[in-house]
Amino acid sequence: MSEDAPADLGESFRRLIRSHGPMPVARYMGESNARYYAGRDPLGAAGDFTTAPEISQMFGEMVGLWLADIWVRAGRPADAIYVELGPGRGTLAKDALRAMASQGLRPEVHLVEGSPALRQIQSGALGGAIFHDSLDTLPDDRPILLAANEFLDALPVRQLVMTEKGWRERMVALDDAEGFVFAAGPSPMDDAVPQDRRAAEPGTVIETCPGAAALVEALCERIERQGGAVIFFDYGYLAPQNGSSLQAIRAHEKVGVFDAPGDMDLTALVDFASLVELARRSGVATATAEQGAWLTAMGIGIRAQALANRSPERSKDIQEAHDRLVGAAAMGELFKVMAMTARDWPRGAGFDEGPRRKPPE
């Protein structure tokens, strides 16, 4: 956006569309979220949504114990660093680092965060943390222990729609009343659709997320070269699916995706099926699970009981937080976990064991 662009992002988009024609969904989502996150704290009751680390300390503790367990079984490398993508208020990092310290792991902390407003909050929560705008400036000579919660879902998705004339990119256009509407782009996009998914009914929408794919590729290359482990948490799916999953949240309620660009959180379901395949082609060990199953396997139920025994007056709140994190009707099934570990590092706990790819001869 130019410096003289209106403060209202919707009007900026209208001007661009009037001048240059419809814009891709990915651009609409990317620029909307860039504006949204730049100047606010979106978390908590006064914000727009609440994430798992804000629900209970138990979530971050399970993440920290998972990373620490891998670190111990990898031989306790002294130079390992903790990295978090999109660390929110720093709550996950604080809880994870406390759990790591209980196992003797006190790593240097690196946070990848682009929001000045959130960096200020994180600095207060995590003194001494080193900030990065992207992965590019992370140390490249030390093992990485990386966590990311609800990071991938905010990356822009590209949508393709099947029309009577074939596949086209899904765009954001204006109707006669200057309202935003979806429209099919003019250029054929059949080559961008996997061969096994090209035959579809008109109106079918599929999503891809180039940013998530590039991130996973970069992390695979890093942990293979530097050693380490990565764990993602997000709402998404483990098998390919069709349909638009774009949604908007404002003040803890779902709103229309065109209601207030730049003033609402736009997200899409994460295609873990594609990311797992991409990671496996890179050679790293991968595993996935539903969040509820993973947290239960990691011992969150035992931790909840211990906290309740220590603070009986909070036992109801602790149980409710536990149920919200693991319950099938809450976050337990909708949210998924994806882990990646370097081939010569141990597999992570909490996942069903599967065959591990052997290093090339």
Side-chain angles (χ1 to χ4, degrees):
M1 293 296 171
S2 63
E3 292 183 1
D4 61 347
D8 178 72
L9 190 60
E11 184 51 41
S12 294
F13 285 157
R14 288 183 180 89
R15 188 174 66 180
L16 282 169
I17 294 170
R18 286 194 296 265
S19 299
H20 303 289
M23 68 171 61
V25 167
R27 180 175 182 181
Y28 174 83
M29 182 179 179
E31 293 194 16
S32 295
N33 278 348
R35 172 74 68 90
Y36 174 77
Y37 282 102
R40 77 188 72 208
D41 173 9
L43 297 164
D48 292 316
F49 55 87
T50 301
T51 60
E54 305 294 330
I55 292 172
S56 171
Q57 68 185 70
M58 296 182 289
F59 181 83
E61 289 170 348
M62 297 302 105
V63 175
L65 291 174
W66 187 84
L67 292 170
D69 172 67
I70 292 177
W71 173 77
V72 168
R73 290 186 287 120
R76 299 173 179 265
D79 57 348
I81 63 173
Y82 173 77
V83 178
E84 190 173 336
L85 308 181
R89 292 175 169 171
T91 307
L92 169 56
K94 282 184 65 176
D95 294 335
L97 289 166
R98 185 177 63 252
M100 291 181 206
S102 73
Q103 306 302 308
L105 172 58
R106 295 174 175 82
E108 192 173 79
V109 177
H110 293 257
L111 305 178
V112 179
E113 177 60 71
S115 166
L118 289 174
R119 278 193 182 194
Q120 186 174 2
I121 296 170
Q122 293 154 11
S123 294
L126 302 162
I130 301 167
F131 289 96
H132 303 265
D133 292 322
S134 71
L135 296 181
D136 297 340
T137 55
L138 290 174
D140 59 6
D141 57 352
R142 286 177 269 173
I144 290 177
L145 303 171
L146 184 146
N149 180 64
E150 293 198 50
F151 179 81
L152 298 174
D153 67 319
L155 298 178
V157 291
R158 183 185 194 188
Q159 292 188 337
L160 302 175
V161 59
M162 183 62 168
T163 72
E164 297 291 349
K165 297 180 180 180
W167 288 96
R168 300 290 188 269
E169 183 147 18
R170 204 175 191 213
M171 315 288 279
V172 176
L174 295 176
D175 62 18
D176 293 338
E178 293 281 284
F180 296 114
V181 293
F182 289 114
S187 302
M189 298 297 295
D190 299 77
D191 289 344
V193 179
Q195 187 68 43
D196 61 350
R197 301 182 72 182
R198 289 185 186 175
E201 294 294 322
T204 301
V205 174
I206 63 173
E207 293 176 335
T208 64
C209 187
L215 176 69
V216 166
E217 284 187 322
L219 288 174
C220 287
E221 190 275 332
R222 272 189 177 269
I223 63 173
E224 280 292 86
R225 177 164 46 87
Q226 300 173 224
V230 173
I231 191 162
F232 289 110
F233 299 84
D234 232 310
Y235 75 124
Y237 48 92
L238 300 177
Q241 70 175 42
N242 294 335
S244 172
S245 68
L246 189 65
Q247 70 170 22
I249 299 291
R250 193 178 193 188
H252 300 272
E253 299 288 341
K254 284 189 177 182
V255 295
V257 297
F258 297 138
D259 282 5
D263 286 313
M264 58 188 184
D265 181 41
L266 280 172
T267 62
L269 290 173
V270 177
D271 180 3
F272 283 111
S274 295
L275 297 181
V276 165
E277 181 57 31
L278 184 64
R280 286 175 176 165
R281 288 201 301 268
S282 297
V284 304
T286 62
T288 58
E290 293 178 344
Q291 177 176 290
W294 183 84
L295 288 171
T296 299
M298 286 298 299
I300 193 172
I302 297 171
R303 178 57 174 156
Q305 187 60 57
L307 289 173
N309 291 341
R310 184 184 305 170
S311 304
E313 73 282 1
R314 295 183 55 239
S315 60
K316 181 180 178 182
D317 291 339
I318 292 167
Q319 186 61 47
E320 287 178 351
H322 169 274
D323 293 347
R324 188 171 173 187
L325 291 171
V326 308
M331 300 175 73
E333 291 185 359
L334 178 61
F335 279 74
K336 309 300 191 298
V337 190
M338 174 182 169
M340 307 189 304
T341 50
R343 274 178 288 192
D344 57 351
W345 271 54
R347 295 289 294 271
F351 297 94
D352 291 335
E353 286 294 325
R356 181 168 183 171
R357 294 176 68 99
K358 295 182 179 179
E361 297 295 336

